[in-house]
Amino acid sequence: MKTTITVAIVEDKEPIRQSLAILVGGAEGFFCQSTYETAEKALAELPRNCVDVVLMDIDLPGMNGIECVRQLRPVCPDTQFMMCTMYDEDETVFEALKAGANAYILKRSPPHKLLEAITELHEGGSPMSSTIARKIALSFHQDTSAPSELDVLTPREREILEKLSKGHSHKEVAVELFISPTTVRKHIFNIYEKLQVHSKVEAVNKFLGR
């Protein structure tokens, strides 16, 4: 039996909030559990009723979405956070990822892409829109001085981590490198152990020197 993904939405603009709630709530395999118009309300209520995935706007009145994720992360450790916003500026992207966001998608993405991204995130991926993935890849190529802590990684582990930083899924990495998904997962486990991280986002941040 397919697991239902519970979702909360934090968005101050009512039309967008309602549209997202209808999209998520009306899709098979998803349940829109709650919506919030401010970060403060989300912080007050979500820790008592954590969900699988939170869709988080950035430009909220009062506390912004990045700070909200930073504060929710410790009290909702099993929740995945997807920034769903109009912004794709470099610093906004990286600040959100450093705060604990697991994924980043633009509001103008087609509805089916948003639902696919929520599913991928729930299954352990870190989906990003192609625009944002390119920005992260560009940042990597512009940074010629790799952090010394990455020296513990093998060339294959570095290769896998670079592809993850570009937004590739585990399956895509396996296909491109002609290895099995199981082998990819083993390499990723070793990367986590060596870099002392617990998620793909944390590993990518270290890889990019953020």
Side-chain angles (χ1 to χ4, degrees):
M1 183 177 179
K2 185 177 180 180
T3 301
T4 297
I5 303 173
T6 56
V7 179
I9 298 165
V10 186
E11 165 65 58
D12 64 307
K13 297 177 180 61
E14 185 175 0
I16 297 177
R17 188 170 66 251
Q18 290 183 347
S19 294
L20 289 172
I22 292 171
L23 171 65
V24 173
E28 183 180 358
F30 298 85
F31 176 66
C32 183
Q33 183 166 298
S34 53
T35 64
Y36 308 98
E37 63 266 30
T38 66
E40 288 79 4
K41 287 187 177 181
L43 280 170
E45 298 181 23
L46 266 177
R48 297 197 299 266
N49 198 14
C50 292
V51 296
D52 295 320
V53 175
V54 173
L55 299 182
M56 180 72 69
D57 185 27
I58 286 183
D59 190 18
L60 296 168
M63 180 186 298
N64 66 34
I66 294 175
E67 182 58 30
C68 185
V69 169
R70 185 177 287 113
Q71 294 192 31
L72 280 173
R73 169 60 65 193
V75 293
C76 294
D78 296 325
T79 296
Q80 306 297 306
F81 295 89
M82 177 182 291
M83 309 312 289
C84 185
T85 178
M86 299 295 295
Y87 298 102
D88 62 353
E89 289 90 347
D90 297 27
E91 286 307 312
T92 304
V93 173
F94 296 127
E95 281 301 314
L97 295 178
K98 285 192 293 183
N102 308 92
Y104 203 114
I105 194 166
L106 299 181
K107 287 181 180 177
R108 61 177 176 267
S109 300
H112 72 279
K113 288 291 186 182
L114 177 59
L115 294 175
E116 288 174 0
I118 294 173
T119 300
E120 182 181 346
L121 177 59
H122 183 60
E123 293 175 348
S126 295
M128 300 180 191
S129 68
S130 58
T131 301
I132 291 168
R134 281 195 297 271
K135 284 181 177 289
I136 292 178
L138 180 60
S139 171
F140 164 73
H141 289 302
Q142 288 176 339
D143 185 3
T144 57
S145 58
S148 58
E149 62 186 323
L150 297 180
D151 292 343
V152 298
L153 300 180
T154 65
R156 174 64 92 185
E157 289 166 350
R158 284 174 176 264
E159 190 175 17
I160 289 173
L161 195 46
E162 179 179 4
K163 290 186 180 300
L164 294 178
S165 75
K166 296 177 180 178
H168 294 198
S169 68
H170 294 183
K171 290 182 180 178
E172 290 171 336
V173 172
V175 170
E176 292 180 15
L177 297 182
F178 303 101
I179 57 179
S180 71
T182 299
T183 300
V184 172
R185 286 194 292 271
K186 288 180 179 178
H187 280 302
I188 292 174
F189 175 80
N190 291 333
I191 291 169
Y192 288 3
E193 288 286 303
K194 291 179 179 181
L195 297 184
Q196 297 182 351
V197 298
H198 305 286
S199 71
K200 184 163 69 174
V201 169
E202 289 181 81
V204 168
N205 282 341
K206 283 202 173 186
F207 186 65
L208 298 176
R210 298 288 172 177

